[in-house]
Amino acid sequence: MTVNKVYIAGNWKMNLHREESVELLKGLREGKIPSQVEAILCPPFLRLEGAAELLEGSPYKLGAQDVSKYENGAHTGEISASMLKDLGLSYVIVGHSELRGEGQTDEEVSQKVRAALREGLVPIVCLGESEEEYDRGLSLETVARQLEESVLSLSPEEAEKVILAYEPLWAIGTGKNCPPEVAQEVAAHLKGKLKVPVLYGGSVKGNNAGEYLSCQDIDGVLVGGASLKAEEFLTIVEAAL
Ligand code: PEP
């Protein structure tokens, strides 16, 4: 992956019914996306097909929030990487802490990364420490272990195609911001191990995005709550300039 773009990715999580999704997408299309920004939207699976139609001809790229580790077949409820590719998607979030919290292991994350890469999708792999680990000064150690087990366990050719997202668990959806200097330190640590783009995620809003985007080793942001409002998302895009 190239490290010369600024990635602004929105994770809608399990939000927005059809009409709400259409309204948000229309609002987003009215905004301007500068050429150096890669604006990525990750709606729920059910909203992807409609979003692909509404975004046709726009600079936005689409991503999913998860992908099956299996290729196809008898896996009830799962969505394969080839199905996502078939819809024209470019990205997929893998190993979000909300899924890791429900039992997804580093090994499964690495299987999902491989499944995504097989179809040419770019995995955005989430890494992050708990509040207890943060308080004990274990942030670097925790993300390094997750990186080792979920990405560096793949071949170097595979590993260099991912994007990493540092998302401290205690900062997600809490309004508690990770100090930008800490996010920078973690991003630099990750880049020292794997030279790929590193995003920061955790309570990023229009009024604080610039603090992260100006950090030397942070190449973008992964945004949850603030990606559900067109104006707020576009303000974050502007902060990348
Ligand atoms: C996320 O879900 O990846 C996230 C960063 O959420 P929020 O921006 O709401 O903290």
Side-chain angles (χ1 to χ4, degrees), residues 44-62:
F45 286 129
L46 275 176
R47 302 279 90 83
L48 283 169
E49 193 154 5
E53 280 167 24
L54 263 164
L55 293 175
E56 221 180 299
S58 83
Y60 289 97
K61 299 284 177 9
L62 271 179

Side-chain angles (χ1 to χ4, degrees), residues 11 13 96 98 167 171-174 201-205 222-226:
N11 174 11
K13 310 197 189 194
H96 192 282
E98 285 156 13
E167 295 213 308
I172 296 181
T174 57
S203 298
V204 172
K205 309 262 180 294
L222 179 52
V223 186

